[in-house]
Amino acid sequence: MRFMKLMTMNDSVKAAVRRILDSYLEMNNHRKTQERYAILDAIYSIDGHFSLEELGEKLVKEYRFPVSRATLYNTLNLFMELRLVIRHRFQGSTKYEACFDNNSHSHQICTVCGKVTEIDSPEISEVINELRLKRFRKDGYTLYIYGICSNCQARITRQKNMVKKQYKKYNSK
């Protein structure tokens, strides 16, 4: 039953973003191409962040629909303009994310390995929602918190301990 609710919600989101794209294309006399809709469907079937390359691979593998890099790039720019996709510039890489039903969220980014994890923090959301900005209406937010993940912390600690052992061993001779 829970899976059925998830499918229904995901399907309704996909239908809503398709309507937004339809309206925009009709209002601006643009063609409704198969590529645009295939890319939109692929994006909204990805859970989390993706790169241009990952999106292209998904279109080929799962949709059997190869699309040029230029088409992907131009279509993603259109979707960002329509606020259907958001671009993140993480350390040394550009990632995208579907954002129709998730305008506000936070990320923690490891400065050592580059791993990005979304965090759900009602406290952060509450503070930002209550924040009053002068001459500005908030639509949403993305917060980046940089630090070192537990895996990298453990690896760094092991390396430090190994260096200490070697130092003591060398100095005790």
Side-chain angles (χ1 to χ4, degrees):
M1 186 67 171
R2 184 174 170 199
F3 176 72
M4 194 65 132
K5 285 182 184 177
L6 184 63
M7 280 298 288
T8 306
M9 185 180 83
N10 193 25
D11 290 344
S12 67
V13 168
K14 281 186 179 182
V17 296
R18 279 178 155 265
R19 282 193 303 273
I20 291 169
L21 181 58
D22 281 340
S23 296
Y24 174 84
L25 296 174
E26 287 169 9
M27 286 174 38
N28 292 284
N29 294 319
H30 292 302
R31 293 177 308 143
K32 293 181 178 181
T33 64
Q34 285 182 309
E35 290 86 356
R36 288 178 175 148
Y37 290 96
I39 293 168
L40 188 66
D41 286 342
I43 289 169
Y44 275 84
S45 69
I46 295 172
D47 187 28
H49 308 101
F50 59 90
S51 67
L52 201 66
E53 293 76 20
E54 291 165 338
L55 178 58
E57 289 171 12
K58 183 175 185 74
L59 284 162
V60 170
K61 285 180 186 173
E62 293 180 26
Y63 290 78
R64 307 256 188 264
F65 203 94
V67 179
S68 73
R69 186 175 176 84
T71 298
L72 284 176
Y73 184 76
N74 291 331
T75 304
L76 282 171
N77 281 334
L78 169 64
F79 293 168
M80 285 187 294
E81 185 180 319
L82 295 174
R83 299 186 61 149
L84 300 175
V85 171
I86 188 168
R87 177 176 47 212
H88 300 285
R89 298 192 192 229
F90 299 129
Q91 291 185 295
S93 70
T94 299
K95 297 281 187 167
Y96 300 88
E97 181 178 25
C99 67
F100 174 74
D101 60 343
N102 189 14
N103 270 347
S104 302
H105 58 287
S106 305
H107 301 87
Q108 57 188 21
I109 304 164
C110 179
T111 55
V112 176
C113 69
K115 181 179 177 184
V116 178
T117 312
E118 287 196 24
I119 52 176
D120 180 27
S121 173
E123 299 86 1
I124 291 173
S125 295
E126 186 178 326
V127 168
I128 291 175
N129 288 334
E130 290 177 7
L131 182 64
R132 299 290 172 237
L133 301 169
K134 203 174 198 175
R135 301 173 64 144
F136 188 79
R137 182 181 62 91
K138 299 183 302 265
D139 289 336
Y141 71 88
T142 301
L143 176 66
Y144 304 108
I145 302 171
Y146 295 93
I148 301 174
C149 71
S150 59
N151 290 340
C152 289
Q153 288 177 35
R155 190 173 65 247
I156 290 168
T157 301
R158 282 192 305 274
Q159 289 171 344
K160 281 183 182 177
N161 288 340
M162 219 151 99
V163 168
K164 282 181 186 178
K165 275 184 182 178
Q166 290 173 347
Y167 180 78
K168 284 181 183 179
K169 188 178 180 181
Y170 178 76
N171 283 335
S172 65
K173 291 183 180 182

